[in-house]
Amino acid sequence: MVLESATSELVIEEQLKQFLLVLSVSLGVATLPQIFSWLRRIPYTLLLVIVGLGLAFVNVRLVNLSPELILVIFLPPLLFEAAWNVKWSDLKRDLLPICLYAVVGVVISIAGVVVGLNQFAGMELSIALLIGASLSATDPVSVTALFRELGASKRLTMLMEGESLFNDGMAVVAFGLLVALPLGTAKLDLQSALLEFFQVVGIGIGIGGLIGFGISYLTQRFDLPLVEQSLTLVSAYGTYLITEYLGGSGVIGVVTTALILGNFGSRIGMNPRTRIIVTEFWEFLAFFVNSIVFLLIGDQIRFAVLGDNLKTIGVTIAAMIVARAVSIYALSGVSNWLTKSEISLSEQTVLWWGGLRGSVAIALALSVPAVLPDREEIIATVFGVVLFTLLVQGLTTQPLLGKLQLLGSQPLRQEYMEAIARQVALQRSLEYLETTQKRPGIQPEFYHYQKRLISGELALLQEKIDKLVDEYPNLQEFTTEELRGELLAIEADTYAEFVRAGRLNKELAPFLQTTHDSANQE
């Protein structure tokens, strides 16, 4: 007993050391763009993959990835954070194309990969189906972060993110249905597969809805930010585990719960200050988990095994890209015809090329039963394809956005805000200079020289700002939005001061939220 206890302590200590090492490397990578400015052009998650590849190249293995680690520990918080920030009004507007991409698109993706591997690589149908199912889920974390940074349209971001939220669940369900085929324990029966599909999805939505609405009404009874924050964390993991235990899709369950809490629970049961606390907590957790996952994806690569399966990887990449093109362009055409809501050809092209694969694909490949003789080939193929999508497609998405003129006005807005910030700073410097005019030891010539210098800079800045506003009238709307946000922030801070002082309860929170929503609709 003593020996077992000592062994257990050593295992825990070793795991803790590995975790701290991974965390230290991840945080170190986060600081690199601040030291080397040219690295800022590479999305943070892709930079982690590149560093992980470097470690793998010199055979430094930080920790072994397991499907349980990704699916049970890492996936719930990533799904919850993404769904928490999705506005139902935005999702509802594009629900049809998102559902088409997430459901029909998954089927097309699996079929395309299966045909390619079966016809051009001579792979057995059952094994090709597993690879196709593993790679059917998109994971555009880097792409959507890039969209926001570059000011791409909110709709494009919603289409990409919405598809990813729902097709993760579809991919996991499809994989679960297909994994029994190569083991000989099941046959491909369309009727029974559809029945099980609806059962798994239905249980996920049902459990997710019960937990989401239950916590929403529970948080109405009290105003304890830390408790409400903890409840969201428990709901993410609890929903996943309970739904999986009952035979449903934990992924769909978590997405359902987060959508309800983010769009309903946080409105009726949380004041604005609590919502901000919870949102910032989930932003930190998503950053934390993504930092670990993408670093480990790169670190897990076995270059020798990839080299042995280059043909299979190449065929899979080609088949996947073609299937993705068929899926996006065909389904977008159907959506445009049915809803009269135009998804432009340039937006379709970005959706096609930006369909990266990531952690879900890796987890599904690693969960292939060890008794299958083709398991190593499946894992190597999926890892190779994921690596291609992250490095090649991920790093070329920004130039593609520029070529298709979908970058938006974010660079322009940044230039405008930099000019405004410098103008305010120089104005304050000029005001301070006025107070030093009669200070002992300050020569009048020096004072007047500095005043002329600053005034000249201010005049040049004002010319630049006027020119920007004249050339780009939309900047005026941007300035108005910024001021409206500042006014709402001041209002929220004032209410929070009254609440902290005990002079006000949370009854003004719905009013503030109504004011904010009305402002957004103008």
Side-chain angles (χ1 to χ4, degrees), residues 125-396:
L125 192 63
S126 58
I127 303 301
L129 281 167
L130 283 185
I131 294 177
S134 300
L135 292 168
S136 60
T138 57
D139 187 13
V141 174
S142 305
V143 173
T144 52
L146 196 64
F147 284 175
R148 295 189 186 98
E149 180 185 337
L150 297 173
S153 70
K154 290 183 179 179
R155 189 187 185 201
L156 187 57
T157 305
M158 173 52 62
L159 288 169
M160 184 73 78
E161 202 163 44
E163 178 197 2
S164 176
L165 276 176
F166 291 108
N167 74 6
D168 281 354
M170 297 301 109
V172 173
V173 171
F175 184 86
L177 295 174
L178 296 172
V179 73
L181 291 178
L183 296 174
T185 58
K187 293 183 179 180
L188 193 59
D189 179 8
L190 183 61
Q191 184 177 353
S192 60
L194 285 174
L195 183 64
E196 186 171 350
F197 170 79
F198 285 114
Q199 177 184 329
V200 169
V201 172
I203 292 173
I205 294 173
I207 298 298
L210 282 174
I211 293 176
F213 283 116
I215 292 178
S216 296
Y217 286 109
L218 180 63
T219 53
Q220 273 190 301
R221 309 299 176 193
F222 50 79
D223 181 23
L224 299 168
L226 294 179
V227 173
E228 293 173 70
Q229 175 181 291
S230 302
L231 276 173
T232 60
L233 182 62
V234 171
S235 71
Y237 284 104
T239 301
Y240 186 89
L241 294 172
I242 292 170
T243 307
E244 288 288 325
Y245 178 76
L246 294 176
S249 168
V251 173
I252 293 174
V254 172
V255 169
T256 305
T257 299
L259 281 172
I260 292 170
L261 287 175
N263 290 276
F264 178 71
S266 63
R267 307 297 185 201
I268 69 165
M270 297 181 184
N271 65 40
R273 181 169 58 96
T274 301
R275 180 174 172 80
I276 290 170
I277 290 172
V278 174
T279 301
E280 288 179 345
F281 165 74
W282 280 104
E283 285 177 0
F284 157 73
L285 199 57
F287 167 79
F288 182 81
V289 172
N290 271 319
S291 298
I292 295 173
V293 169
F294 281 90
L295 178 68
L296 293 182
I297 285 176
D299 187 53
Q300 296 297 301
I301 297 297
R302 301 294 195 270
F303 291 100
V305 180
L306 288 185
D308 294 337
N309 293 276
L310 278 180
K311 180 186 175 182
T312 307
I313 293 170
V315 170
T316 307
I317 289 170
M320 184 190 69
I321 289 175
V322 171
R324 176 77 179 171
V326 171
S327 169
I328 293 298
Y329 291 115
L331 297 178
S332 296
V334 172
S335 174
N336 288 342
W337 177 64
L338 290 175
T339 63
K340 311 300 181 186
S341 178
E342 188 69 26
I343 302 173
S344 68
L345 190 62
S346 56
E347 289 175 326
Q348 293 175 37
T349 302
V350 174
L351 289 171
W352 160 61
W353 191 248
L356 312 186
R357 271 59 173 178
S359 54
V360 174
I362 296 292
L364 292 177
L366 290 172
S367 66
V368 171
V371 295
L372 278 182
D374 300 295
R375 183 175 186 269
E376 288 303 316
E377 184 179 5
I378 294 172
I379 293 173
T381 303
V382 171
F383 264 91
V385 174
V386 168
L387 197 60
F388 173 86
T389 65
L390 289 176
L391 295 183
V392 177
Q393 292 178 249
L395 292 174
T396 54

